[in-house]
Amino acid sequence: MRAVILAAGRGERLLPLTKNYPKPLTPVLGKPLLEHIVETLKEAMVKDIVIVTGYLNHFIQEYFGDGSKFHVKIRYAYNPVYKNGNGTSLKVARELLAEDEAFLLLMSDHLIDVDIVNKALRNVDHKPLLCVDRQPHYSPQIKDATRVLVNPEGYIINIGKDIAHWNGVDTGVFILDNNIFEAMEETEKLSHFATITDYIKGMITNGKPLWACDVSRLFWLDIDTVDDLESAKLILREER
């Protein structure tokens, strides 16, 4: 399966670290955030990768090249309007995907255990799906989380950072298909600023359910701030 990694944003909450290089190249224990993710995908035998770049995109392309030095294949899609929400990055990735192709979607600022990717792949028949943590316990997982409400049948019926009722957290790992692009087209009729969450809400509203793949107790971290970065270093040292 092909993977799409969204790596276009500036990462303003990591300033001044991201003043001169893009957030995905922020080092964590000796290697960039994005390299950790590429290595995780390779370990899961996902070696066909699309990286969507934006802010200071040339640094990412210079570092990763065609992916051969990491034993994967990497292609790039450039998002010139990355400030208009991460949904615009998914839109430009569409150009490098086959029609009706199912694909993994990951965020360049989420460190994830390979078991999360493997569990998503094992459940591909349930696509579209989102890997959900029902028992988050690290601060970077909770404080600015995108929350989800999962019904008894295992489907997500609401998603957002500010929803009042929730029972899980979005880990940033999806398997999606053409349903997301149909929702994209409808959402963009209402706003040019769009997020992945907006598209997911559109899918749900249009009766296209999103299955919650339970990855509770598996390691993942969302890194948005300098404090998150320091927490990640401590947690990763403990995990090792």
Side-chain angles (χ1 to χ4, degrees), residues 3 25 37 47 57 86 92-93 114 120 134 145 149 155 166 175 178 189 193 205 239:
L25 295 186
I37 299 165
K47 297 183 179 182
N57 63 303
N86 63 3
V92 299
V114 66
R134 305 291 290 268
L149 180 62
Y155 289 94
W166 56 284
I175 294 182
N178 199 52
K189 293 177 182 177
F193 185 97
T205 299
E239 292 281 328

Side-chain angles (χ1 to χ4, degrees), residues 93-130:
R94 186 180 190 180
E95 300 170 4
L96 296 180
L97 298 170
E99 189 174 354
D100 297 328
E101 175 182 358
F103 60 96
L104 272 163
L105 176 67
L106 303 95
M107 308 298 131
S108 63
D109 55 1
H110 286 209
L111 293 172
I112 53 170
D113 190 286
V114 66
D115 288 339
I116 292 180
V117 177
N118 284 332
K119 189 165 186 181
L121 294 172
R122 287 196 303 270
N123 286 281
V124 65
D125 289 345
H126 291 285
K127 70 176 188 320
L129 64 82
L130 166 61

Side-chain angles (χ1 to χ4, degrees), residues 30-149:
K31 65 181 69 173
L33 262 170
L34 187 52
E35 186 174 347
H36 285 277
I37 299 165
V38 169
E39 289 183 345
T40 295
L41 289 171
K42 182 179 70 173
E43 187 177 352
M45 302 304 293
V46 178
K47 297 183 179 182
D48 190 349
I49 301 170
V50 173
I51 299 177
V52 182
T53 61
Y55 175 67
L56 297 179
N57 63 303
H58 60 284
F59 285 115
I60 293 176
Q61 292 188 228
E62 288 170 4
Y63 187 89
F64 288 96
D66 64 1
S68 56
K69 68 179 179 180
F70 301 97
H71 306 289
V72 297
K73 174 186 175 182
I74 296 177
R75 292 178 296 158
Y76 299 91
Y78 175 65
N79 178 13
V81 292
Y82 59 86
K83 293 182 180 180
N84 290 350
N86 63 3
T88 61
S89 290
L90 182 57
K91 183 177 182 179
V92 299
R94 186 180 190 180
E95 300 170 4
L96 296 180
L97 298 170
E99 189 174 354
D100 297 328
E101 175 182 358
F103 60 96
L104 272 163
L105 176 67
L106 303 95
M107 308 298 131
S108 63
D109 55 1
H110 286 209
L111 293 172
I112 53 170
D113 190 286
V114 66
D115 288 339
I116 292 180
V117 177
N118 284 332
K119 189 165 186 181
L121 294 172
R122 287 196 303 270
N123 286 281
V124 65
D125 289 345
H126 291 285
K127 70 176 188 320
L129 64 82
L130 166 61
C131 292
V132 171
D133 190 344
R134 305 291 290 268
Q135 302 174 33
H137 57 286
Y138 294 124
S139 175
Q141 295 174 327
I142 301 168
K143 62 179 178 56
D144 194 36
T146 297
R147 303 167 178 179
V148 298
L149 180 62

Side-chain angles (χ1 to χ4, degrees), residues 138-208:
Y138 294 124
S139 175
Q141 295 174 327
I142 301 168
K143 62 179 178 56
D144 194 36
T146 297
R147 303 167 178 179
V148 298
L149 180 62
V150 182
N151 70 13
E153 289 73 42
Y155 289 94
I156 295 168
I157 57 175
N158 200 4
I159 183 170
K161 291 184 180 295
D162 301 318
I163 61 175
H165 302 289
W166 56 284
N167 52 16
V169 171
D170 169 1
T171 67
V173 179
F174 301 77
I175 294 182
L176 299 173
D177 55 21
N178 199 52
N179 284 310
I180 195 68
F181 296 118
E182 292 176 3
M184 174 191 297
E185 292 167 0
E186 292 301 314
T187 302
E188 288 184 345
K189 293 177 182 177
L190 304 175
S191 173
H192 290 296
F193 185 97
T195 65
I196 304 296
T197 298
D198 293 329
Y199 297 158
I200 296 300
K201 285 183 176 180
M203 281 177 52
I204 295 170
T205 299
N206 291 332
K208 304 291 176 57

